[in-house]
Amino acid sequence: MKILSKWLRSYLPEIPVDDQKLAEDLTLRGVAVEGIFDASCGGSLFDMDITTNRVDAMNHYGVAREAATVYDVELKPLDVTLPVAKSGAAFPVRIEAKDLCGRFTARVIHGVSVGASTGLIAEYFEALGQKRISAPVDATNFVWLEMGHPTHAFDLDKIEGGIVVRRARAGEKLKLLDETERTLDENDLVIADEKKALGLAGVMGGWDSRVTEATKNILVEAAWFDPATIRRSSRKFGIHTDASHRFERGADLAAAPTANALVCKYILEQCGGSIEGELVDVLVSELEARTAKRAPIELHVSEVQRHLGQTLDGNGVGAAVIERYLNALGCGLKRAGDGRYAVTLPSWRLDIEREIDLIEEIARVYGYNRFADTLPAFAGTVIELPTAEKERAVRSTLLADGFSEAISSTFCSADDAVKFAGGGVPMGNPLSEEAGMLRPSLVPGMLTMLGHNLHRDVSDVRLFELGTRFSGSTKHVDEEPGLALGATGGVVATKIAGNSDALFYEIKGAVERLLDLFATGTVTYSANNLPAWLETGRAASAVAGGKTLAVFGELSADEAQRRKLRQGVVVAEVKIAELMQLPLRQPVAREISRFQAVGRDFSFVFADAVQWQQIDAAIKGLGIAELTQVNPIEIFRDPRGKAVPAGQYSLLIRVTLQSPERTLVDEEIASASSRIVAALAGLGGTQRA
């Protein structure tokens, strides 16, 4: 947001530094000034980056309060002096939604003459680049720029009866100031009269009750609304206003009367008229207790000093410094003895909830650059997590295979959560609809990263992510490690027209090497019960001990099209949490035999249904002590069905026999060969001559 130094200095006439130094000191205290420009009204224009938790500083008076704290100068109070009101009946205001509206103030002004803003408002708006609309509307905008609390002005003559703050009725229509008509439901909060909705509370006013040049009488409103309700309506309708930006982050409930008075003051100055009746102030005590009148927090001087440590001047942060800064920030301090304070929190600082928050405020205002660089005391040694060695083994294996480690967002969309895991845990305050769920799978993030590369002409990519996946519900979230691999492109793959066989086997090999790290037992591969996001017939799962340890394969054509991926992508999801339950496979060193190895070849014809893992298991299951290797050498299929019948294939198998103790004799080799032939024949194989 933009802040005028001239406006700041109107509250701080004794500020002792120039604008450049002021900007530097504010930035060091966490109220960042990112740019300084000459302002048309004199002084400087600060381009500021205010963090979302500091809604109290999203205005000139809030930034001035920060500067007053830093320089220990007096902050001038806001001038809310109003002329004496004419006698009149109190304007009727009723809050029906007491859980959503904590305060509603209203004041009536009669006999206004609506025109363009002049004077200081026009001058400051010109410097800030703020659009001028009309004097009453500009007055409301001027107040949120000044002290941060949103307000609204209604044409009083268009209000039928009194004001009612209520939930909208299902299907209720409301035309807003942007000239769009919205259909509301019971989750929306509206400001209404006795017959119709006048505005979407905390977001935008209504078209029919707006102030125009013909307006003669005005109702000024300043209120406080539940942040979650404003956020919900703002996002549902896609409307982000200056009012919703502040209300959904937690406005100051105690500020409503002050904001109302300021708006009335500026309208009277710009438009004339007179106030009729006193301020109507309807307050919900339950919400006031949760916001503006929270219970005091106990602060220990010893805890402040323990957390903050030594200062460069050697004096440390003592009781005098603590009292000075917290008082300047608006806190109330009451000594409780033994170096303790009962700290009453200011109504505008809803981000302060605990003792450690107060300690952070003291450190921030004191200046982090004024603390000595010291290391905390530590005794003992660093203890690794139980899975650290296994994670290192996984990472080193994948890095050796040519994959690069990447990190994606821990959030995903609701559609991705359902598609890749059957559902997930929704966020209470999502950044966007595309990031509204805690990710139940790492695959969506992997596909996003692959797409990010492909869309920037990086066509050869190998990535893996070892991160956290989430499951459960909003009441209880479970976390467990997850692992995803992704690959696309490559010299070998691009030479194979129309398919990604090479990529598939590359990912399969990487998965096999990962599984080989752990004592999984026998691993088998299946093409059954695979997720829908993998292409049918081009994917598989790795199963051991009755558990699926990984699924991998080519991304389905529908998903690739949805993500606009222009070339084949192969992904794998490894159940790394299951693997982490298993011990790492321990390598066994064997002495190399000094005796000659003997190789024998066996050529058999098998039906296509017989897989290599069956053949390998049949031979190794014979328990031949001298058997050291079994390798497939050559596979042959005859498309014409002459040399090898259709539906069958010829396989040349080479076995290696070697004894660590002696040279094998012909009888031992012949006996082993006979047993191997019998085992292969038992699989339905026919030995070729």
Side-chain angles (χ1 to χ4, degrees):
M1 67 175 300
K2 294 179 174 61
I3 294 291
L4 295 172
S5 66
K6 180 179 178 180
W7 202 344
L8 290 181
R9 291 179 183 276
S10 68
Y11 308 120
L12 302 167
E14 299 178 2
I15 196 166
V17 297
D18 60 18
D19 287 351
Q20 183 68 42
K21 179 61 175 172
L22 173 61
E24 291 176 2
D25 290 340
L26 288 173
T27 301
L28 285 173
R29 269 71 179 184
V31 188
V33 179
E34 295 192 331
I36 306 176
F37 309 93
D38 291 334
S40 60
C41 63
S44 301
L45 177 67
F46 293 164
D47 185 7
M48 304 195 70
D49 181 18
I50 310 297
T51 55
T52 56
N53 66 314
R54 291 300 309 277
V55 65
D56 66 291
M58 295 178 183
N59 56 84
H60 285 77
Y61 199 74
V63 176
R65 185 189 296 114
E66 291 289 315
T69 305
V70 172
Y71 300 115
D72 195 21
V73 296
E74 182 180 357
L75 177 66
K76 288 178 60 177
L78 293 167
D79 183 5
V80 293
T81 305
L82 291 174
V84 176
K86 293 182 179 179
S87 61
F91 189 84
V93 173
R94 183 171 76 254
I95 300 178
E96 292 184 353
K98 294 183 181 295
D99 56 332
L100 305 182
C101 177
R103 191 169 202 167
F104 196 97
T105 65
R107 187 180 267 119
V108 173
I109 302 178
H110 277 184
V112 300
S113 178
V114 176
S117 297
T118 59
L120 200 61
I121 293 179
E123 180 184 354
Y124 283 176
F125 274 27
E126 178 69 23
L128 291 167
Q130 178 75 27
K131 180 182 178 182
R132 284 189 288 166
I133 300 172
S134 67
V137 177
D138 293 346
T140 64
N141 292 334
F142 191 80
V143 168
W144 71 253
L145 287 169
E146 181 177 26
M147 54 86 69
H149 197 86
T151 57
H152 189 70
F154 296 93
D155 188 323
L156 180 64
D157 298 323
K158 295 176 182 177
I159 299 176
E160 300 179 80
I163 289 290
V164 182
V165 185
R166 58 172 172 82
R167 285 178 167 83
R169 303 183 182 98
E172 187 171 11
K173 306 287 186 180
L174 175 62
K175 187 177 180 181
L176 299 176
L177 287 173
D178 61 1
E179 300 188 56
T180 62
E181 186 176 73
R182 308 288 180 163
T183 302
L184 311 178
D185 60 34
E186 297 90 338
N187 293 319
D188 298 313
L189 183 67
V190 295
I191 299 172
D193 59 21
E194 298 295 345
K195 294 186 177 181
K196 62 185 179 300
L198 302 175
L200 188 58
V203 180
M204 186 177 288
W207 178 264
D208 296 332
S209 60
R210 74 193 189 281
V211 171
T212 66
E213 292 182 355
T215 297
K216 298 301 180 184
N217 304 303
I218 290 176
L219 177 72
V220 176
E221 164 257 309
W224 183 95
F225 305 111
D226 173 61
T229 302
I230 304 306
R231 186 183 305 116
R232 187 185 304 115
S233 295
S234 175
R235 296 190 177 181
K236 181 176 73 173
F237 295 117
I239 304 173
H240 183 81
T241 62
D242 293 313
S244 68
H245 186 82
R246 283 153 179 79
F247 276 127
E248 68 183 36
R249 285 159 176 79
D252 179 5
L253 185 141
T258 301
N260 194 304
L262 286 172
V263 172
C264 292
K265 174 186 174 183
Y266 297 137
I267 290 177
L268 293 172
E269 290 175 355
Q270 296 281 323
C271 305
S274 61
I275 296 174
E276 182 171 315
E278 297 299 327
L279 174 72
V280 177
D281 186 2
V282 181
L283 183 64
V284 179
S285 57
E286 292 83 358
L287 291 180
E288 183 185 33
R290 283 169 37 196
T291 56
K293 291 187 176 180
R294 291 171 291 166
I297 295 175
E298 190 173 77
L299 177 68
H300 300 77
V301 175
S302 60
E303 281 297 290
V304 175
Q305 295 172 339
R306 184 178 72 85
H307 280 283
L308 302 188
Q310 301 176 15
T311 57
L312 292 177
D313 60 11
N315 296 327
V317 178
V321 174
I322 293 171
E323 291 180 12
R324 170 192 159 190
Y325 288 150
L326 292 184
N327 281 322
L329 289 171
C331 297
L333 275 71
K334 182 179 180 181
R335 290 182 180 271
D338 301 326
R340 292 180 295 117
Y341 292 96
V343 181
T344 303
L345 301 174
S347 60
W348 56 84
R349 291 301 301 273
L350 297 182
D351 58 311
I352 300 177
E353 298 177 340
R354 303 169 298 166
E355 180 183 33
I356 193 64
D357 297 332
L358 291 171
I359 295 172
E360 183 180 1
E361 283 298 292
I362 295 166
R364 180 181 65 81
V365 179
Y366 184 84
Y368 295 118
N369 57 318
R370 297 173 63 191
F371 289 99
D373 294 330
T374 58
L375 292 174
F378 177 74
T381 59
V382 176
I383 300 175
E384 284 189 329
L385 294 173
T387 59
E389 184 182 1
K390 298 173 183 178
E391 290 181 6
R392 274 198 302 271
V394 169
R395 283 192 169 91
S396 61
T397 298
L398 291 172
L399 291 171
D401 280 344
F403 288 79
S404 298
E405 185 169 9
I407 300 175
S408 67
S409 172
T410 54
F411 309 128
C412 70
S413 67
D415 288 343
D416 279 347
V418 172
K419 183 182 293 289
F420 290 92
V425 181
M427 296 285 291
N429 182 21
L431 298 173
S432 66
E433 292 296 328
E434 291 73 26
M437 308 284 285
L438 289 172
R439 63 181 182 189
S441 167
L442 273 64
V443 175
M446 176 56 63
L447 294 175
T448 298
M449 292 188 291
L450 291 173
H452 184 86
N453 281 273
L454 290 176
H455 298 154
R456 287 157 181 79
D457 297 325
V458 181
S459 59
D460 187 8
V461 187
R462 304 289 185 276
L463 298 176
F464 78 91
E465 180 178 10
L466 181 59
T468 304
R469 55 184 295 272
F470 305 88
S471 60
S473 66
T474 53
K475 294 183 178 179
H476 179 75
V477 180
D478 294 315
E479 301 181 19
E480 67 177 20
L483 175 62
L485 286 70
T488 185
V491 175
V492 177
T494 54
K495 290 181 179 179
I496 302 176
N499 63 56
S500 55
D501 286 353
L503 275 177
F504 174 85
Y505 288 111
E506 183 179 341
I507 286 285
K508 180 176 182 288
V511 171
E512 287 178 336
R513 282 184 286 278
L514 285 177
L515 298 182
D516 283 343
L517 294 173
F518 298 88
T520 58
T522 302
V523 177
T524 59
Y525 295 89
S526 171
N528 300 323
N529 301 320
L530 293 171
W533 47 270
L534 290 174
E535 187 70 18
T536 302
R538 304 187 64 79
S541 62
V543 181
K547 294 181 179 180
T548 299
L549 299 181
V551 292
F552 56 92
E554 186 176 331
L555 187 67
S556 69
D558 290 343
E559 186 64 19
Q561 183 178 6
R562 186 173 76 90
R563 293 177 177 271
K564 299 180 181 179
L565 302 177
R566 62 173 183 265
Q567 67 185 42
V569 167
V570 177
V571 290
E573 184 173 34
V574 181
K575 311 292 185 179
I576 196 68
E578 299 280 355
L579 292 178
M580 292 297 179
Q581 305 285 329
L582 303 173
L584 287 172
R585 197 186 303 274
Q586 298 300 319
V588 178
R590 294 181 179 176
E591 184 178 353
I592 298 175
S593 176
R594 295 175 295 166
F595 300 95
Q596 183 177 356
V598 178
R600 288 291 184 268
D601 292 343
F602 301 89
S603 183
F604 271 77
V605 176
F606 294 101
D608 283 343
V610 180
Q611 300 180 0
W612 168 252
Q613 62 188 20
Q614 297 172 267
I615 297 169
D616 185 58
I619 296 174
K620 292 179 179 177
L622 295 172
I624 300 173
E626 293 80 13
L627 181 66
T628 58
Q629 291 186 43
V630 181
N631 296 310
I633 301 301
E634 183 182 272
I635 186 170
F636 172 70
R637 285 184 173 87
D638 186 356
R640 295 174 298 177
K642 292 183 178 181
V644 178
Q648 298 182 359
Y649 64 94
S650 174
L651 180 65
L652 178 62
I653 306 166
R654 177 166 298 163
V655 301
T656 303
L657 303 170
Q658 187 178 29
S659 171
E661 300 172 349
R662 66 188 185 282
T663 300
L664 296 176
V665 298
D666 289 343
E667 290 79 2
E668 292 175 304
I669 297 171
S671 174
S673 298
S674 298
R675 294 173 65 189
I676 292 171
V677 169
L680 296 178
L683 294 175
T686 303
Q687 189 172 16
R688 299 185 67 186

